[in-house]
Amino acid sequence: MQFAKRLEPLQSNVFADMDVAKAKALANGRQLIDLSLGSSDLPASSHVIEAIAKSLDDKSTHGYLLFHGTQGFRRAAAEWYEQRFEISVDPETEVLPLIGSQEGTAHLPLAVLNPGDFALLLDPGYPSHAGGVYLASGQIYAMPLREENNFLPVFEEIPAPVLAQSRMMVLSYPHNPTAATAPLSFFEQAVSFCQQHDIVLVHDFPYVDLVFTREAQASTNLKSVVPSILQADLEKSVSIEFFTLSKSYNMGGFRIGFAIGNRHLIGALRRVKAVVDFNQYRGILNGAIAALNGPQSGVQSAVDSFRKRRDVFVDGLHRIGWQVPVPKATMYVWAKLPEPWNKDSIQFCRSLVENTGVAASPGAGFGKSGEGYVRFALVHETPVLETAVDRISQFLQSVY
C-alpha cells in the first residue's frame, strides 16, 4: 500500500518516542510524574459545565451545526476580544469557530500555500505549526530563537530567495516552549515586514491570560497585558489570530477556540473547514459562551495556581543548583540542560523518566534550535512538583 509523500515529514515524532519511554518506566514500577504535556489538570468552571449539561436535554442541540448556528458564539468571541483589546470586530465576517487553535494553524496553510511555497516558523515552536505546512506541501524556513534575542526571531536573517517564496509567517507569544513574551513594538515590526513582502501573518495566542508579570498581578480589569497582533495591524490588513479556551478556561478536552482577523483569511479558512467538518456540538458552544460572557474568577484562579506552581518549581530547581530563568508567562519552564546532555535533550528525557518516573519534553522535539533545552509543564499541584524536584536532584547527583 502506497501513501502520499506529504506524510513522510510527519513520521518522526519525538513525543511518540517519549511515550514509549514513559511506558517502559511504568513497566519497571516507576511512579510517573508527567510534566511533558501542556494539558491543564484544573477543572472548567461550574457555570460552564452547567451550560453544557443543560444543553444535553435540549434535543434541538443534537443535530448538525452550520455556520449560522454559531452566531451566538461568534458574537461572544467578538465582544470578549473588543473588551480585552478595544478593537472592533465584525462577528459575521471576522470571527470563525475552531476546534481549538490547533485546527487553525493546521488548516490555514491549505488556504494560503501552494506546493513549494515557504512558511516562516519559529524554531523552537509548537509542532502542529509545521504539520499544517507539510500537509499543504509547503516548505518550512525555521526562524531560530536565541536567548540573547529574548527568543524573538530576527527577520533580517531570512535569506532573500526564501523571502521571495514566502507566503505565511507564524508567531506565537507568550511562547510555547520558551515562555518568552513579545512587546507591541515587535508585533509592529512583524506587521510592517509582512505587509512589505506580501506575507500572511498568523498569531497563535493560547496563553493570552497565563501571564505573571507585575502588570498582570496589578490589573483589576479584563484588559490584556500582552498584545494582540491586531493591535499592531488595526486595519486587519494581513493578520489573523487564533484563540483557544483550553488554557484560560481549562476546556482543553472540549476542543473549542476561534479565529479573529482579516475577513478574507477568515473566509478562506471557513471554506477549508467546510469540507473537513461541521462545527462542534451546540452544547459545547453554549459552554464557551458562558465562559466568555460569565464570571472570570476561574481565569484568575488558574493564573494564580500556575504562578504558585512556577514559583515552587523554579525555586526548587534553584535550590538543587539548576539555575533556570523565571518564566513571565505560560505553564512551562524552559530549562537549559547541563552537561553531558547539553547537546542531547532526548537522551536526558529518556534517562530521567526511566530512572525517576519524571517525564519532560526534550527541546529537540520543538525544533533544531530547541536542542540543549528541556520543557517542564506545570500540570500538577505543588506537592507533586516538589517531589519531582527531589527526584530530579537524585538523578543529577547520581550522574555527578
Side-chain angles (χ1 to χ4, degrees), residues 63-381:
Y64 290 128
L65 182 62
L66 302 181
F67 181 77
H68 179 73
T70 69
Q71 185 180 69
F73 173 69
R74 287 183 281 113
R75 286 178 174 173
E79 291 170 2
W80 175 92
Y81 182 86
E82 290 174 5
Q83 188 173 37
R84 292 293 179 94
F85 300 103
E86 298 181 336
I87 296 174
S88 62
V89 175
D90 182 353
E92 295 302 316
T93 62
E94 297 178 336
V95 182
L96 185 69
L98 298 173
I99 306 174
S101 64
Q102 183 165 322
E103 183 201 358
T105 57
H107 283 159
L108 186 65
L110 294 171
V112 173
L113 300 179
N114 288 313
D117 286 345
F118 272 98
L120 309 173
L121 306 185
L122 301 179
D123 176 19
Y126 190 58
S128 79
H129 296 169
V133 175
Y134 288 133
L135 289 177
S137 299
Q139 300 186 75
I140 290 173
Y141 177 80
M143 300 183 291
L145 307 183
R146 306 182 187 93
E147 186 175 2
E148 58 266 28
N149 294 326
N150 298 314
F151 295 110
L152 299 174
V154 179
F155 302 138
E156 292 75 17
E157 294 179 348
I158 302 170
V162 170
L163 199 54
Q165 292 180 259
S166 296
R167 299 293 176 264
M168 183 173 74
M169 175 189 291
V170 181
L171 303 176
S172 184
Y173 292 94
H175 184 240
N176 176 14
T178 69
T181 58
L184 181 60
S185 58
F186 168 77
F187 286 128
E188 291 171 342
Q189 179 188 5
V191 169
S192 177
F193 183 86
C194 289
Q195 289 172 334
Q196 179 182 353
H197 297 284
D198 194 22
I199 294 172
V200 169
L201 181 54
V202 181
H203 187 225
D204 195 10
F205 204 12
Y207 301 99
V208 55
D209 290 307
L210 292 188
V211 182
F212 315 123
T213 60
R214 291 181 179 178
E215 294 85 354
Q217 288 179 267
S219 178
T220 58
N221 55 38
L222 295 178
K223 300 293 188 294
S224 176
V225 296
V226 288
S228 160
I229 197 70
L230 300 181
Q231 289 177 292
D233 186 8
L234 296 175
E235 300 300 319
K236 306 183 186 74
S237 62
V238 295
S239 306
I240 187 171
E241 196 157 52
F242 297 132
F243 299 86
T244 177
L245 279 75
S246 297
K247 311 302 182 182
S248 300
Y249 299 96
N250 305 312
M251 294 179 67
F254 295 97
R255 309 309 307 134
I256 177 67
F258 54 94
I260 289 181
N262 176 280
R263 63 186 180 91
H264 300 294
L265 292 173
I266 292 290
L269 183 56
R270 179 183 169 188
R271 289 166 66 185
V272 172
K273 183 177 175 67
V275 300
V276 174
D277 61 66
F278 291 103
N279 293 285
Q280 296 92 321
Y281 168 54
R282 188 189 297 270
I284 292 177
L285 266 65
N286 289 341
I289 292 169
L292 296 174
N293 288 345
Q296 301 297 297
S297 55
V299 177
Q300 188 58 53
S301 178
V303 174
D304 292 342
S305 293
F306 283 111
R307 181 190 295 111
K308 182 178 179 180
R309 295 176 183 189
R310 175 204 66 173
D311 293 343
V312 166
F313 191 73
V314 169
D315 289 348
L317 292 182
H318 289 176
R319 187 178 64 253
I320 67 174
W322 192 347
Q323 297 302 314
V324 300
V326 180
K328 297 179 180 179
T330 76
M331 55 174 66
Y332 308 112
V333 171
W334 184 243
K336 185 177 290 186
L337 286 167
E339 293 184 358
W341 303 284
N342 56 341
K343 293 183 180 179
D344 197 347
S345 58
I346 295 175
Q347 186 55 47
F348 171 84
C349 289
R350 284 176 178 164
S351 298
L352 181 66
V353 72
E354 289 174 5
N355 285 278
T356 71
V358 176
S361 293
F366 299 97
K368 182 179 178 181
S369 296
E371 184 56 277
Y373 290 85
V374 62
R375 191 197 74 177
F376 296 101
L378 306 176
V379 291
H380 290 281
E381 297 289 350

Side-chain angles (χ1 to χ4, degrees), residues 20-35:
V20 173
K22 286 186 280 187
K24 183 177 179 180
L26 287 170
N28 290 335
R30 299 290 184 190
Q31 183 183 20
L32 192 67
I33 299 178
D34 196 345
L35 307 181

